[in-house]
Amino acid sequence: MIKDTLLYDLLSIKPDACENDIIVAYYEMAERHHPENLKEKNHDSISKFDEIKFAYDVLSNEQNRKFYDENGYEATKEMFDKQDEFSYDNYTSQNYYGSLINNEYDFYQTPKITKNLVFPLKVSLKDLYRGTKKNFDYQVLVICKDCDGTGFKKVNTDKKCPKCSDQEEDSNVRIREICSECSECLTCAGERVVQEEKKIEINIEKGMRHRQQIAFTGLSNQKPGYETGDLIFILEQSKHDTFSRHEDYLIMKHTINLTEALCGFKILFRHLDGRLKAITCSGGEYFHNQTVKSIPKLGMPKLNSSDYGDLIIKFSVNFPESKSLNLEKIKILEEILPPKRTIEFKEDEKIVEVTSKHVDKNFFDYESDDEIRYAVDENLPEEAFLIKEDMQEEFESNPQRIECNTQ
């Protein structure tokens, strides 16, 4: 039983969040509340970032997280305060922004990081099944080489500019005197950065998922005095004509007629590996609407594994059109099929005959088959016996982030 959820709430995650969820949530919250990214640096902004960093350091450590879950926030804070090398009250100021002097913050010059450059990357279900490589062209800002990011022309350091040498240069303001010796860099027009066209090769591994992130460290926009952020691609899977996906399952819908449902049938379909697959169902194994079959190892490959999920086939049965059978055929069917059920009632009880009529299938706002239940393969794990279809194309609520080496 978790005593309180304060630290989870600070990162906007659930108490059952995995390690990757915590990392992603912290990264987003820290970037949003970092005092250097805010218009005003005050006590509240520092305290907020302090709390977020504290939450991450507790929840990202398995032992600390277990202690917090069992004992709560106050006990965890007290435990950290007792550590000789750690003081929660000075946590942010000592490690990131300096110490509190006369109620004013003296900020250390900690590294600043440029914002991440994020792009969507279109992929097909086949790409995620087979794995592939994609080339991506993008534009990025880089520090101007002609002026080394100063914004001014390079000049002879031994010779001072007669117009600028007498001016006292403030550390936070660049002098922009236009003269023959020191003027704005013609390449970047004083902006210190220039735009470049770049191409990168992205490796799509087998088993990756919709909305998964692939990150290249230090390939975002550059800025003088800043560390460079990451270049991130978010996979956007397009819809497939035959298959949909749920985790490592591939799901396929197939419609058969009443004769096939009773007498057997054969299915031919082309799998994502490019090969034709055949499924034969002999007569006597009756199928009905929402009958579901599973075929082991024909699902999606599991990331960083040689194993595969299962292929799930959901069947629906098309019945003959209304009044398409004459009385003679109906009598033949009655002889072949199991007998009708008998209705028992009291002889002295009055019976009122009523007439039914057809209702449009869209009469209700919901579909009756909004859930898939397995009719076979009892060896599947218990949690796999119920799959909600509206989750099949939904982004994995906690996308994984794959780190790539800088190219």
Side-chain angles (χ1 to χ4, degrees), residues 60 127 168 171 217 340 368 377-378:
S60 62
D127 291 334
E168 183 177 353
S171 59
T217 305
K340 298 178 180 179
S368 60
D377 196 353
E378 296 179 353

Side-chain angles (χ1 to χ4, degrees), residues 58-90:
V58 172
L59 300 181
S60 62
N61 181 285
E62 185 177 351
Q63 293 182 346
N64 291 343
R65 182 178 181 179
K66 183 179 180 182
F67 182 88
Y68 167 69
D69 288 343
E70 294 175 352
N71 300 278
Y73 173 79
E74 292 297 333
T76 304
K77 180 176 177 295
E78 183 178 351
M79 179 191 72
F80 272 77
D81 285 340
K82 288 180 180 179
Q83 297 180 14
D84 294 335
E85 70 279 8
F86 183 92
S87 173
Y88 175 75
D89 292 332
N90 295 323

Side-chain angles (χ1 to χ4, degrees), residues 306-341:
S306 59
D307 197 11
Y308 285 75
D310 296 342
L311 171 64
I312 306 300
I313 307 177
K314 179 187 176 184
F315 291 91
S316 58
V317 180
N318 271 347
F319 282 78
E321 294 183 2
S322 180
K323 298 182 180 180
S324 62
L325 300 177
N326 56 38
L327 292 176
E328 182 179 352
K329 292 180 180 179
I330 292 176
K331 288 182 179 180
I332 295 174
L333 286 175
E334 287 179 340
E335 294 175 359
I336 298 173
L337 297 175
K340 298 178 180 179
R341 292 180 297 177

Side-chain angles (χ1 to χ4, degrees), residues 201-243:
E201 184 179 74
I202 306 163
N203 183 33
I204 311 298
E205 298 181 19
K206 294 180 180 180
M208 284 187 168
R209 300 184 179 185
H210 175 61
R211 300 294 294 168
Q212 188 162 351
Q213 298 181 5
I214 303 175
F216 294 87
T217 305
L219 292 186
S220 184
N221 291 319
Q222 297 177 4
K223 186 176 180 180
Y226 283 69
E227 291 185 1
T228 307
D230 299 341
L231 173 63
I232 300 176
F233 294 95
I234 301 178
L235 301 182
E236 298 284 352
Q237 179 203 313
S238 58
K239 187 175 182 180
H240 195 273
D241 293 336
T242 304
F243 302 102

Side-chain angles (χ1 to χ4, degrees), residues 152 161 163-164 175-184:
F152 294 95
C161 171
K163 292 187 179 180
C164 303
I175 302 175
R176 292 180 175 271
E177 284 291 335
I178 306 301
C179 65
S180 58
E181 294 293 336
C182 60
S183 60
E184 288 185 346

